[in-house]
Amino acid sequence: MTSLVTALRSALAQAADPEQAPAMQAYMKSDMPFRGVPQPVRARILRECVAEDPPATPGVLAAVAEALWDGAEFREERYLATALVGYRSYARWPDADWLPRYRHWVVSGAWWDHVDEIASRLVGALVRADPDRVVPVMRRWATDPDPWLRRASIICQLQSKEATDTGLLADAIEASRKDEDFFLRKGIGWALRQHARTDPLWVREFVEAHPDLSPLSRREALKHL
C-alpha cells in the first residue's frame, strides 16, 4: 500500500506544472493547492503506477484510496483516490460497506468536482448493484443538512438509464426542490435532463406536477424536450 501511494505522489510531483497550478486552483476555488497536472496526465500516471503495483485486495484498495484522500496536500491526490476506486480493474470491488467512506469524501470534498465524480460513478454503481442496501442510505442523504450529500443523492443515477429508480429520483428532488442553493437547483435540472434521454414523458409529467421547481431546474430539465 505504502509503495503505491508513494509512487502516485511522486509521479504527480514529477509531472507538476507550477505555471498551470495557480490557474487550476483559482478555477476550482480551492483552498487546497494543485500540482498543475491535467486529467489526461493523471490517467496515465494511475495506469502506469497500478500496472507496477496493483492493489491485491479490496482492503488494500480502500487503504490506498484513504491514504491518498485523507493525506492529500494537493487536490490531484484526491482525484487519483476516486479514479483508483473507479478504475476498470477494481470498479466491482466496492460494495455497500463503502458508503461511509464515500460519505466522508462528499462531506470533506464539499465541491462539485469531487461530489459529482463520487456520486455519479462510485455511489451510482452501488445503487444499481445493491439497491436494497444503498437506496435507503440515499434517501437519508436526500434529507441530510449537508447540501453536498443532498446533491449526491439527486445525481447518483446519472448513468442508470433504464435502471433508474424514479421513486428515489423523485424523493431526492422533492426534498431539495425549494432550496435556493445553486448547486442543488442545478443538480435537480441535470438529473431530470439526463433521465429525459431515457423517459421524456416521466420527466415532463414530473416537471408539470411540480410548479414550484426553480426556473433553473425547470429550464435544465426541459432543455432537450
Side-chain angles (χ1 to χ4, degrees):
M1 179 204 64
T2 303
S3 61
L4 179 54
V5 173
T6 300
L8 289 167
R9 287 178 173 155
S10 296
L12 283 176
Q14 292 172 10
D17 185 341
E19 293 185 359
Q20 292 298 319
M24 294 173 71
Q25 183 177 358
Y27 172 76
M28 204 53 66
K29 301 179 181 179
S30 174
D31 291 333
M32 185 178 291
F34 276 77
R35 284 287 195 188
V37 182
Q39 192 280 330
V41 178
R42 296 197 305 269
R44 175 182 58 77
I45 288 172
L46 182 63
R47 183 173 62 251
E48 293 175 353
C49 290
V50 165
E52 288 289 327
D53 186 14
T57 66
V60 173
L61 178 70
V64 172
E66 287 179 347
L68 287 169
W69 185 279
D70 291 329
E73 296 182 10
F74 297 91
R75 203 173 186 91
E76 289 96 336
E77 294 175 55
R78 289 186 165 182
Y79 292 157
L80 285 181
T82 53
L84 175 64
V85 173
Y87 196 66
R88 60 183 180 273
S89 300
Y90 314 119
R92 295 183 180 275
W93 284 7
D95 58 20
D97 292 336
W98 284 55
L99 284 172
R101 180 175 296 110
Y102 293 160
R103 188 187 197 281
H104 166 60
W105 289 357
V106 167
V107 173
S108 58
W111 199 239
W112 63 266
D113 57 337
H114 291 314
V115 173
D116 293 2
E117 178 76 2
I118 295 163
S120 65
R121 291 192 64 205
L122 307 184
V123 175
L126 296 184
V127 171
R128 293 185 292 274
D130 192 357
D132 289 344
R133 294 179 65 193
V134 179
V135 168
V137 178
M138 290 302 99
R139 293 187 189 280
R140 292 198 292 273
W141 286 17
T143 58
D144 195 276
D146 188 285
W148 294 107
L149 286 172
R150 282 185 276 148
R151 179 177 168 94
S153 73
I154 292 165
I155 65 172
C156 67
Q157 299 189 85
L158 288 176
Q159 300 181 27
S160 292
K161 299 182 180 180
E162 291 82 2
T164 298
D165 180 337
T166 53
L168 172 61
L169 177 60
D171 288 347
I173 291 172
E174 288 172 356
S176 292
R177 73 182 189 277
K178 296 182 180 179
D179 198 296
E180 296 183 359
D181 182 88
F182 169 82
F183 290 103
L184 286 171
R185 291 183 168 188
K186 188 76 170 181
I188 289 170
W190 186 14
L192 289 171
R193 184 179 76 243
Q194 187 71 6
H195 189 54
R197 300 175 185 274
T198 299
D199 193 344
L201 179 60
W202 186 93
V203 171
R204 189 177 294 278
E205 290 178 345
F206 183 89
V207 171
E208 291 176 353
H210 293 82
D212 54 353
L213 282 176
S214 72
L216 172 60
S217 298
R218 181 179 298 272
R219 183 170 62 252
E220 289 292 316
L222 302 176
K223 193 170 185 177
H224 301 303
L225 295 181

